[in-house]
Amino acid sequence: MLSYIKRKGKVWGILVCLWMFLNFYLGFLCASSLYFQDMVYLNLLLFGAAAVWAVTDYRRYRRLRRWTDGQEDFTEEEQRRLLGEEVYAYVKDWEEEKKEEQFQERQKLEELSDYVAAWTHEAKLPLASLKLMNSRSEDENLRESMGTCIARMEVLLQNVLAGSKLQHPENDVRFEKVNLEAAIRESVKNQSYFLVRSRFEILIECGKTAVYSDKRWLVYLLDQLVGNAAKYCSGSPRLAFRAEKEKDGAVLLTVEDNGIGISDKDLPCIFQKGYVGSRHRKGDYHSTGMGLYFAGKIAGLLHMELHVFSEEGKGCRFELRFRDLADHLLLTGEGEETESKGDEADQQRQIR
């Protein structure tokens, strides 16, 4: 676009110079053989032609602007006519170079993602061995310290694997009907070491509420919220999960704790990559600034809204809003069939 403007600027500059030269030549050198009315008439004709050309050129510029902004698609012939042969060839060469660069970057990311996944799975085996050896230790203090380190390593490995998958998540998402209470209990189980150690009181009020989501990614998102609650808890820690259906069919899941909370100045930035709060920079908490960043990315991946409300010293409340995707995903029949089978199974158990 910038080259197009520069090229047109040069053309207009040349035309203005020609017009000035023509007026100078006819007005001064040929003044004896020309009438003033002829000069006026000639300039009016030139201005009229310039105005028509300017309007045409502006319309072409607007079309070109819409094309560069992605608002309109042109055929190759239209692009060649609008840009000219030289600019068109340059743009095509530039596009090919960018495609090649993107392809190479994508290959590098895929290779890195495969390496990280393989490394993570290999690291789980010695970690499991360490956990087994630690369970046989007779030193209670050492067993507790080692257990904390092993649990943290498991969380970090899970974060590395999830971060790697988030680079190309399009092939790793499967929407299905997910029971919220089951997903919450799985997440609580994943963080059970830290929750039990801090003597958390867990409250789950979800009933049989179900949403359409990817269960693995949803559990991982909940892991980040539960892990943060365990990491930044206060005395008599409590963690509550509540789900309610809204009028438009959406489901609102609330995850609330009574921990140290988040300050007002940190609150707008907590979903930014690598951001750690002002209190956590002092070294009192092991914060990487990646947990809530992953949570925000996963919320977007699963087409849900994620909001946080907090007051420093009084805990946090995260709200996850699941839109009703049943009609969009054509899963209504599947969900109804699953519910009917579940009801029949319950009835048979009661009869027995």
Coordinates of all heavy atoms in Angstrom, one line a residue, residues 37 50 184 218 312:
Q37 N -8.8 34.1 -22.8 CA -9.9 33.2 -22.7 C -9.5 31.8 -23.1 O -9.9 30.8 -22.5 CB -11.1 33.6 -23.6 CG -11.7 34.9 -23.2 CD -11.0 36.1 -23.8 OE1 -9.9 36.0 -24.2 NE2 -11.7 37.3 -23.8
A50 N -8.1 16.2 -14.7 CA -7.4 15.8 -13.5 C -8.4 15.4 -12.4 O -8.1 14.4 -11.7 CB -6.6 17.0 -13.0
I184 N -15.1 -31.3 38.1 CA -14.6 -30.6 39.4 C -13.9 -31.6 40.3 O -12.8 -31.4 40.8 CB -15.7 -29.9 40.1 CG1 -16.2 -28.7 39.2 CG2 -15.3 -29.4 41.4 CD1 -17.5 -28.1 39.7
L218 N -11.0 -28.6 30.1 CA -11.8 -28.0 31.2 C -11.2 -28.4 32.5 O -11.1 -27.6 33.4 CB -13.3 -28.5 31.1 CG -14.2 -28.0 32.2 CD1 -14.2 -26.5 32.3 CD2 -15.6 -28.6 32.1
E312 N -8.5 -7.8 48.0 CA -7.3 -8.2 48.7 C -7.6 -8.5 50.1 O -8.3 -7.8 50.8 CB -6.3 -7.1 48.6 CG -4.9 -7.5 49.0 CD -3.8 -6.5 48.7 OE1 -4.2 -5.4 48.2 OE2 -2.6 -6.9 48.9

